[in-house]
Structure formats: structure tokens, C-alpha cells
Amino acid sequence: MTILEETIAAIRPADPAAAAEARAHQDRLTKPRGALGALEDVAVRLAGAAAVSPPPLPVPAALAIFAADHGVHARGVSPWPQEVTLQMVGNFLAGGAVANAFAAQVGASVTVVDVGVAADLDPAPGLTISKVAYGTADLSRGPAMTPEQATAALEAGMAVARALVEGGARCLITGDMGIANTTASAALICAFTGHEAAVVTGRGTGVDDETLARKVEVVREALRVNGLEPEWNGASRVLAPASGRSALETLAAVGGLEHAAIAGFVLAGAALRVPVILDGVIAGAAALAAAALAPGVVDHCVAGHRSAEPGHAVALDHLGLRPLVELELRLGEGTGGLLAHPLVCAAVRVMHEVATFDSAGVTDKEA
């Protein structure tokens, strides 16, 4: 078996007995049943994923920022020059990005992974060099990657997840950096959910109307030339995803190297039963690919936030994930996932530390 096959084979869906015990324990705690709302669901979700109740505390956390460039940048889909990807990698390593500030706030480690930056990077503390290629090909002209490149990027993400967990991480947080990666994200979301390009394509870093219109058309071209153009479903206005292509082929055709690496990161986290907090639209698109490869992976994911990018809401709905935070963020880097981490910790800490009605001697309401 390949590393990818072994990882997928190790993924197990949520354990129903552990989830049921967690729900029953929530109902015995000294609070009205359901009073913690979505946080109760998070605790139950993590118990099911870990196959034990209460679930382990998700600390310490580790953020992995996967960086790569995109050939589709040449189509004018972003006002930012491509070299900003490389420059931001330097900023992450120097500790000067928003992700660094948020990581310091929650006590998360930061690992930057070069999986496809279009330049050579010198070794540095906090940097993992796992370069598969110097960026992708232009997805609007043909496949962005070969299946072999996509597999290598998936396995690079898996290796990072395993190393972080072996180093003590008990929660993984996805991060990304790649100029033009929201274009690839929109194409992936269309391909895996069947929605039309105009519905899921957003302004990314804040493009004007003219650039947005060009971006939508580029996504349509990418789907068309790669044989991924969705077909109309007569039962609704939502399009039916294109058939006949495997999840790996779809990821290779219109994804980015960082999307593939994040998908591998998520798959390995699930295989190791360590919760993964997803960040924004890039992570959402990658999670769609991971779920297409191994549906059970979704049980091990928590949606950190809902991005301002329209495609992110579509991806989360398709995955059946409820975001914990909605602050109109559209930065990426792992920022939304980092902000959500304290909420995930609080949800689990309740399970470990809050007394039950019996243990506290508090009278429960009558059934």
C-alpha cells in the first residue's frame, strides 16, 4: 500500500458509543441541558472522533502554514504580485504576520511548509521544505498538477501532521499562503459541490469588479478544459458535480499544491485521531478533497470560522460543518482557526472540570 492508501485505511468514523456517552455526560452537568449550545456539539464531536469520553484536551495546538504558488496568477486574477508568497513566508518565519500574533495569543506553534513556492528558500528554524514543484501550471489551460504531484503534496502534508503529533501536538490547525489560491479554491469547490462559478468565487484579497468578473470566467474555463464542468440537475438550481473523475484527478486538475498538502494534513490528523481545526476557504476546499478521498475524515474536523468568501459557506454546508466564529475574516494563514481554538478547548474543558448534579449535590430539574 502507498502512504496515501495506508493513511486512508487508518481513518475511522466517529465512535457512536463515545459520542452518546459525551452527550449523556453533558446532560448530567450542572447547567440546563443544551445551555452551552454549539459548544456541547463540539465536545460530543471530539469525543466521537477520539473514541473516548471525555475527549482529550486539544492542547497544545500546532499551526501548519502550507505555502505554494499558482500558474493561474498569470491570468490576472489577483492584484498582488506572485513574489508576495515568498515574502510572506519570510514574514511568517520572522514572526511578523497576523497568524504569528494569533498563534502567540493561544500558545500554538507555527510551522511553515514550502510545498510549492516558485523560488528556492534557505533552510530556517520553523521552515519545512517539502517542495513538489515551483508552483502549479495554469489550471485554466489544463491540469494544474499531475496526479503524481498531487500525491506527493498530499504525502507532504501527511508527513507534517505526523511529525507535529509525534512532537506532542494534540490539535492541528490548517494554514495557507499562496497568491491566487482563492481562484483554485473556487474551482475545487465547484468541482466537488456542483455549484456554478459565480456563486462560489469571491474577491479574495479585495479585487475590483472587473477583476472579479475575469476571475469567475477563469474558474469556468478551468472546469471546462479539465472536464469538470458541472451538469444541470433538473430537480434544483444547484448543479450536479461532474462525474467520471476521481477525487485525486479532480484535485490535481484544479487544485493547488497547498490544497493537496492541507488535504493530506487533514487526512493524517484524522488517521491519528487528533482533531483538526479548519481555517477559511482554502482549507474548506482542501477538506472537500480530503472528504472525497475518505468520507470519515469529516468527523475529525472542526470548522473554525466562516470566511467572507462565498465559496466557504458552500464548502462548509457540503461538509456538514458548523463554523464557530463568523467575523468576516478573509485573510487565511490559519487566523480563523487560531481564533476558534480557545472555544474548542473550552468546550472540552467543561467535560473534564464541571461537576455533575450528583457530585455537586445540586438538585436537577424534574424530568
Side-chain angles (χ1 to χ4, degrees), residues 112-133:
V112 183
V113 185
D114 170 17
V115 73
V117 178
D120 289 313
L121 284 80
D122 294 325
L127 174 65
T128 298
I129 299 177
S130 302
K131 195 188 299 289
V132 174

Side-chain angles (χ1 to χ4, degrees), residues 4-5 7-13 158 247 263 266-268 270-271 286-301 319:
L4 175 58
E5 290 169 339
T7 301
I8 291 173
I11 295 171
R12 298 290 181 270
M158 293 173 190
V266 173
L267 288 166
L288 287 172
L293 288 163
V297 75
V298 179
D299 290 346
H300 301 268
C301 296
L319 292 165

Side-chain angles (χ1 to χ4, degrees), residues 112-358:
V112 183
V113 185
D114 170 17
V115 73
V117 178
D120 289 313
L121 284 80
D122 294 325
L127 174 65
T128 298
I129 299 177
S130 302
K131 195 188 299 289
V132 174
Y134 291 86
T136 56
D138 181 354
L139 56 83
S140 69
R141 306 302 192 199
M145 298 175 277
T146 65
E148 292 75 19
Q149 288 174 324
T151 299
L154 280 159
E155 293 181 351
M158 293 173 190
V160 170
R162 286 194 299 270
L164 291 174
V165 172
E166 288 170 1
R170 293 300 173 261
C171 181
L172 301 176
I173 303 174
T174 69
D176 67 89
M177 181 63 221
I179 298 301
N181 63 8
T182 58
T183 301
S185 296
L188 282 171
I189 293 168
C190 287
F192 283 118
T193 71
H195 282 72
E196 210 278 323
V199 175
V200 305
T201 307
R203 294 182 183 273
T205 52
V207 301
D208 58 21
D209 290 347
E210 180 182 353
T211 305
L212 177 60
R214 179 165 57 252
K215 189 174 176 181
V216 170
E217 186 51 39
V218 166
V219 172
R220 288 175 179 150
E221 289 180 32
L223 297 170
R224 187 163 53 247
V225 302
N226 285 290
L228 294 169
E229 196 169 16
E231 299 175 356
W232 283 106
N233 180 345
S236 71
R237 293 298 295 173
V238 176
L239 299 173
S243 60
R245 302 293 294 271
S246 71
L248 179 62
E249 289 172 331
T250 299
L251 175 60
V254 295
L257 289 158
E258 75 270 51
H259 291 99
I262 292 170
F265 186 73
V266 173
L267 288 166
L272 295 167
R273 288 195 179 273
V274 173
V276 181
I277 302 179
L278 303 175
D279 190 39
V281 68
I282 314 304
L288 287 172
L293 288 163
V297 75
V298 179
D299 290 346
H300 301 268
C301 296
V302 174
H305 80 122
R306 178 160 49 216
S307 163
E309 283 289 293
H312 193 210
V314 171
L316 293 181
D317 183 65
H318 191 83
L319 292 165
L321 295 175
R322 176 179 180 177
L324 291 179
V325 176
E326 186 165 5
L327 296 172
E328 300 178 7
L329 304 176
R330 54 180 177 85
L331 178 57
E333 303 180 3
T335 49
L338 289 165
L339 287 175
H341 181 249
L343 296 177
V344 178
C345 290
V348 176
R349 191 170 293 277
V350 164
M351 298 283 285
H352 286 266
E353 299 182 7
V354 174
T356 64
F357 284 104
D358 288 342

Side-chain angles (χ1 to χ4, degrees), residues 21-22 25 47 50 52-56 348 351-352:
E21 169 53 31
H25 185 72
V52 63
S53 178
V348 176
M351 298 283 285
H352 286 266

